[in-house]
Amino acid sequence: MSVSRHPIALRLEQQVGSATKLLATVMVLPLVDGIFPALVVAGVLTTATGVIETGILIFGGSATAAVILAEMDGSRRQMAGSVLLIGAVIIPLAALEAAFAPTFRGFLNLPVFERFAGLVILTIAAKTASSEIGEYLPSPGVIISLGLVASFDPSGFVLRTSPEYVLNGAAAAGVGVGFALAIALLSPHLRGRVDIDRFRFGSAVALGVLALPILLGPFDLMQTDAPIALAVLGVTTLFAYDPNAGPAGASAGESASDDPDGGAGDGGATTADDEVDDDADADGGADGEGDAEQSEPPLDAPTAPGPIVDDDVAVIANGGDPSTASDDGDGTDPFADDDSRAPWL
């Protein structure tokens, strides 16, 4: 697995501490810096596509996936419990902020504010893609504050709310929590197979695509209900996922089975019989095959010459009749003095 070492993420991690707190900070951040309210006021959540795109890209996205895959430990049940606990806080807050969206829409010049909302998303996309570029860009809170000042119109201030905005806001947060929950449940399979840096860059591109219809609204460009940002994120997921890569922390047994020197014929696998044979050989050669191998001298070891004993002499030495001794069929007397085969003379 390629663990993202984005400087902004590292700085946030050092300030927050534990992985659960880091995940909560990442998912609550859109509610704190004003990104989510700006999208609600800009009318992004008026369609089902906008709700899904906002939930996945704003509350979920690469930051949430990176924290779950690279930082969180424990079982899937523990990680799912942490995500659900965070969701129990985020969803009501999102619904509460979305409830005030009609009030803000009443005293803001919406065409002007929508342009600032698009700039906020582009800023986040640039910060996500490159930390060097993000160092020169203002924070989202600064851009939203400038947008509020530039589009403020006190004549239309009326306190109002709408159940539709509340439901859409809660639904967007719920989609983000569902995205985080899916990553947590699939984390044993995704770890080591998802390139987080590649997924982060693709998420930045998807955020840029989400911002283009808002910025280009006055020019009637890219005004479509097609989920283009989700399509970009889907393609990014395909490029970032490598099914042939092994999961992180593979066991030693799996790596040993892939070792070409581990054994011939069975891929290096060791059976119980092999272990018994090895133990027997180590204890002194109790194994029959091992004893046979130990009793055989090396092929290149010198062999000591032994005495040459004739078959006829062996007959006499064992109490046999000398007359029965043969001449080996060569017509010579075995007891002749000039016989070189009589080593006793």
Side-chain angles (χ1 to χ4, degrees):
M1 180 185 62
S2 175
V3 179
S4 177
R5 310 308 294 169
H6 198 281
I8 298 178
L10 292 176
R11 191 184 310 123
L12 186 61
E13 179 182 357
Q14 294 173 358
Q15 295 174 356
V16 174
S18 65
T20 303
K21 293 181 180 179
L22 179 60
L23 179 62
T25 303
V26 169
M27 299 187 70
V28 173
L29 196 59
L31 301 175
V32 176
D33 57 14
I35 301 173
F36 177 71
L39 294 178
V40 176
V41 173
V44 177
L45 272 66
T46 55
T47 62
T49 301
V51 170
I52 297 175
E53 290 178 340
T54 302
I56 294 179
L57 295 176
I58 302 301
F59 290 103
S62 61
T64 300
V67 172
I68 295 175
L69 295 179
E71 303 296 337
M72 296 189 71
D73 298 325
S75 63
R76 290 186 295 179
R77 178 175 297 180
Q78 293 173 343
M79 290 188 293
S82 300
V83 172
L84 293 177
L85 182 61
I86 296 171
V89 178
I90 292 178
I91 294 177
L93 288 178
L96 182 61
E97 290 189 358
F100 291 98
T103 302
F104 281 91
R105 291 176 64 91
F107 65 83
L108 293 178
N109 188 349
L110 292 181
V112 176
F113 184 79
E114 289 176 356
R115 306 294 84 76
F116 282 91
L119 288 177
V120 167
I121 301 177
L122 282 182
T123 302
I124 297 174
K127 289 179 176 290
T128 303
S130 175
S131 61
E132 297 181 359
I133 298 177
E135 294 294 335
Y136 300 97
L137 296 177
S139 64
V142 173
I143 299 176
I144 292 176
S145 299
L146 293 176
L148 290 174
V149 173
S151 60
F152 181 69
D153 184 10
S155 61
F157 180 79
V158 177
L159 185 62
R160 62 171 66 94
T161 185
S162 174
E164 181 182 358
Y165 283 90
V166 175
L167 293 177
N168 290 342
V175 170
V177 174
F179 173 83
L181 184 62
I183 296 295
L185 294 177
L186 296 176
S187 58
H189 179 76
L190 296 179
R191 284 194 178 104
R193 294 185 173 94
V194 175
D195 191 325
I196 297 179
D197 289 329
R198 189 176 299 174
F199 183 75
R200 173 174 57 85
F201 184 80
S203 299
V205 177
L207 282 172
V209 173
L210 179 64
L212 288 180
I214 303 175
L215 287 173
L216 302 178
F219 307 100
D220 293 333
L221 298 176
M222 295 189 66
Q223 299 300 315
T224 177
D225 294 334
I228 302 178
L230 291 180
V232 173
L233 187 63
V235 174
T236 297
T237 304
L238 292 178
F239 281 116
Y241 178 74
D242 185 7
N244 296 324
S251 61
E254 294 176 357
S255 61
S257 63
D258 296 333
D259 186 4
D261 297 332
D266 56 355
T270 303
T271 61
D273 296 338
D274 296 336
E275 295 179 356
V276 172
D277 293 343
D278 294 340
D279 295 338
D281 294 341
D283 294 337
D287 182 38
E289 184 179 354
D291 294 340
E293 294 178 354
Q294 292 181 0
S295 63
E296 294 179 1
L299 297 178
D300 56 347
T303 304
I308 302 175
V309 180
D310 189 80
D311 295 339
D312 300 334
V313 177
V315 172
I316 299 174
N318 293 330
D321 187 2
S323 62
T324 60
S326 64
D327 56 357
D328 295 336
D330 54 358
T332 59
D333 187 2
F335 301 100
D337 294 341
D338 56 351
D339 190 359
S340 60
R341 296 182 298 168
W344 60 90
L345 296 179

